[in-house]
Amino acid sequence: MHTRLAFFAILVASAGRATAQGVATSRPFFDNMKNVISRSADLMPEAEYSFKPVATVRTFGQILGHLANENYDFCAAVKGEKNPNGVDFEKVAAKADIVAGLKAALAYCDAAYRISDAQGAEETTLFGQKMTKLRVLVFNAIHDAEHYGNMVTYLRIKGLVPPSSAP
């Protein structure tokens, strides 16, 4: 198994048992990802939202759209709600619309990261799998970090300094 995937699997599996650490420990990871992803979205010029380094990967805008869609999915599962998102942001082209959708999705997640430890130990279903709500929150933050890593490469190719590397 690829090293990164093995690490990811260990983190997600551990999150299901990590209620002693508490939900509050996952919030700083999410807050950091929310910060650098939002700043990256603002940093990339609109003309580069259609950029992708090779034909087989998402564009920069599609990565952001994917993150908007998935944050709604993850956090709706934690909140026990029907996903309120009615837009496939991965198919949206305008920077302003993608950024607005992304920021709305991240804001929607804020309440999910404020649940109690007891709520974090409750089961929910995500993508057809039963897991604790804490595990979903950790999975979400890891997923955001994985795609932020993609975004860093895109930004650097375009000569921009990613927010996590900026002074």
Side-chain angles (χ1 to χ4, degrees):
M1 181 185 301
H2 188 276
T3 305
R4 186 173 75 172
L5 291 177
F7 177 70
F8 172 77
I10 290 166
L11 282 175
V12 171
S14 298
R17 297 185 302 272
T19 55
Q21 293 283 322
V23 173
T25 60
S26 65
R27 177 133 187 130
F29 298 111
F30 172 72
D31 285 343
N32 183 53
M33 285 299 100
K34 182 171 69 169
N35 176 36
V36 295
I37 289 169
S38 296
R39 289 172 53 205
S40 297
D42 293 336
L43 178 63
M44 185 68 92
E46 182 164 15
E48 302 299 346
Y49 265 56
S50 61
F51 170 71
K52 57 182 175 177
V54 296
T56 55
V57 298
R58 290 179 171 111
T59 66
F60 186 83
Q62 287 170 330
I63 292 172
L64 294 173
H66 171 73
L67 286 172
N69 294 340
E70 295 297 314
N71 272 271
Y72 274 118
D73 286 337
F74 282 95
C75 294
V78 170
K79 293 167 90 171
E81 299 175 354
K82 182 181 182 297
N83 184 337
N85 180 31
V87 177
D88 182 352
F89 286 103
E90 208 168 328
K91 295 180 180 174
V92 173
K95 175 180 176 174
D97 295 335
I98 295 169
V99 170
L102 174 68
K103 290 183 179 182
L106 295 171
Y108 175 74
C109 283
D110 282 335
Y113 281 89
R114 287 190 194 102
I115 63 172
S116 69
D117 288 347
Q119 291 169 306
E122 294 172 1
E123 271 198 348
T124 190
T125 302
L126 179 69
F127 307 131
Q129 296 181 12
K130 288 200 178 287
M131 59 186 78
T132 66
K133 291 179 178 183
L134 174 59
R135 182 176 173 189
V136 173
L137 293 172
V138 172
F139 188 178
N140 184 55
I142 291 169
H143 177 260
D144 287 348
E146 178 181 10
H147 287 296
Y148 176 66
N150 300 135
M151 293 166 56
V152 164
T153 301
Y154 288 38
L155 291 166
R156 289 198 183 281
I157 289 171
K158 292 299 175 180
L160 301 168
V161 178
S164 56
S165 297

